[in-house]
Amino acid sequence: TYKDVIYKDTGHVEVVEITYDSSLVTYQDLLKVFWKNIDPFDKYGQFCDKGKSYRSVVFYQNKKQKKIIDKSMKDIEKNFNSEVVTLVWNFKIFYPAEEYHQDYYQKNFLRYLAYKKSCQREEVLKKIWN
């Protein structure tokens, strides 16, 4: 459950499952979008969300994807002269969150906007990537 993941050390992290058509978009392109939407230098979590379950993680399903991730991390570290602390894990299984977490930003739009603003998500990302 969400409470287990947040308050216990289950080894799980909060993530988004992406399904894509590789004939339309490459794994590299997805990875570029991923990096631009996280803080790869925050080892404690993301924005206001701190703790093990909120650390940034990128998953791979094969050696080719792992190689792409490793190269992109090295490129970021070189460009920023800073260590990327995003975890790199072999994908095993995805567990969907409870229904009330699905499409949270749509179901709780005003709360989501307040959270996003109070955590300065856009400002942090702009500071890193622009």
Side-chain angles (χ1 to χ4, degrees):
T1 68
Y2 178 74
K3 285 184 179 180
D4 289 339
V5 171
I6 299 305
Y7 298 115
K8 298 177 184 175
D9 189 4
T10 63
H12 296 278
V13 291
E14 189 172 290
V15 299
V16 176
E17 180 181 37
I18 305 292
T19 303
Y20 70 102
D21 182 340
S22 60
S23 69
L24 300 175
V25 64
T26 67
Y27 187 78
Q28 291 96 323
D29 289 337
L30 288 176
L31 195 54
K32 287 177 190 175
V33 172
F34 170 77
W35 291 126
K36 297 284 181 159
N37 283 279
I38 67 158
D39 177 350
F41 309 111
D42 187 345
K43 65 182 176 180
Y44 300 109
Q46 291 293 295
F47 313 107
C48 287
D49 296 318
K50 302 300 181 189
K52 285 186 172 187
S53 63
Y54 290 118
R55 296 171 297 172
S56 62
V57 181
V58 62
F59 293 89
Y60 64 92
Q61 291 183 309
N62 55 53
K63 289 180 183 180
K64 182 179 178 185
Q65 289 178 346
K66 173 78 163 73
K67 193 173 184 178
I68 292 167
I69 294 166
D70 290 343
K71 181 181 180 329
S72 70
M73 288 178 73
K74 286 179 186 173
D75 290 345
I76 292 169
E77 289 177 340
K78 182 179 176 186
N79 288 338
F80 288 90
N81 196 29
S82 191
E83 179 186 9
V84 171
V85 296
T86 297
L87 302 168
V88 179
W89 289 354
N90 184 17
F91 176 80
K92 293 189 174 105
I93 189 168
F94 177 81
Y95 298 97
E98 294 93 342
E99 183 56 36
Y100 73 94
H101 275 284
Q102 302 299 326
D103 301 315
Y104 182 85
Y105 74 100
Q106 290 175 329
K107 294 175 185 173
N108 301 281
F109 187 66
L110 293 178
R111 288 182 73 184
Y112 172 74
L113 288 179
Y115 161 83
K116 185 176 169 184
K117 183 161 182 64
S118 68
C119 292
Q120 299 183 322
R121 178 183 165 82
E122 289 179 9
E123 293 83 354
V124 170
L125 292 174
K126 190 178 283 188
K127 184 178 177 185
I128 295 169
W129 297 109
N130 290 337

